[in-house]
């Protein structure tokens, strides 16, 4: 790859992963809003809403994780945690490349 092609691939990969993360976050928000309000989500005992924060990659199914990894020409073998870790590592490497 020349520098322009690499930049294009990196941008496309980052956008694909970002889109999937946004979709997963929206799905989670919808599920939370449509479920019954058995507990008051705004009344956190310690006042720390960050404790409820979830990594969007954790919301992806195995099938979706494998699809994303395949799109990025990465290994798709392993258990769900290994797939998540591989995707996190890939996203981090893409972010590091764009910072340089």
């Amino acid at each position: 790859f020349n520098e322009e092609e690499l930049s294009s691939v990196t941008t496309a990969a980052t956008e694909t992963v970002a889109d999937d993360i946004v979709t997963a976050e929206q799905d989670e928000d919808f599920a939370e809003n449509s479920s019954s309000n058995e507990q008051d989500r705004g009344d956190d005992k310690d006042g720390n809403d960050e404790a409820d924060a979830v990594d969007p990659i954790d919301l992806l199914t195995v099938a979706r994780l494998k699809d994303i990894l395949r799109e990025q020409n990465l290994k798709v073998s392993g258990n769900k945690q290994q797939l998540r870790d591989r995707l996190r590592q890939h996203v981090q490497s893409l972010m590091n490349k764009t910072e340089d």
Side-chain angles (χ1 to χ4, degrees):
F1 289 111
N2 65 33
E3 188 171 323
E4 185 176 319
E5 291 172 325
L6 181 59
S7 176
S8 175
V9 169
T10 302
T11 301
T14 304
E15 288 173 358
T16 299
V17 172
D19 288 345
D20 289 332
I21 290 171
V22 168
T23 300
E25 287 176 337
Q26 290 170 343
D27 290 347
E28 180 188 48
D29 289 344
F30 177 77
E32 284 180 5
N33 291 332
S34 64
S35 67
S36 63
N37 288 329
E38 295 176 7
Q39 59 183 349
D40 182 9
R41 296 186 202 294
D43 187 20
D44 196 2
K45 291 180 185 176
D46 63 1
N48 185 1
D49 289 334
E50 289 184 26
D52 295 334
V54 175
D55 183 345
I57 290 176
D58 291 335
L59 303 175
L60 299 173
T61 64
V62 169
R64 191 61 191 129
L65 286 164
K66 286 184 176 184
D67 287 344
I68 295 168
L69 292 169
R70 267 190 211 98
E71 291 170 4
Q72 302 305 312
N73 296 316
L74 299 170
K75 273 179 45 175
V76 295
S77 62
N79 63 35
K80 190 172 189 176
Q81 188 59 50
Q82 291 169 325
L83 299 175
R84 289 173 177 162
D85 292 343
R86 191 171 300 130
L87 181 56
R88 279 190 192 96
Q89 183 179 19
H90 181 65
V91 169
Q92 187 62 45
S93 71
L94 292 174
M95 291 173 64
N96 290 341
K97 286 180 183 177
T98 59
E99 290 175 0
D100 293 341

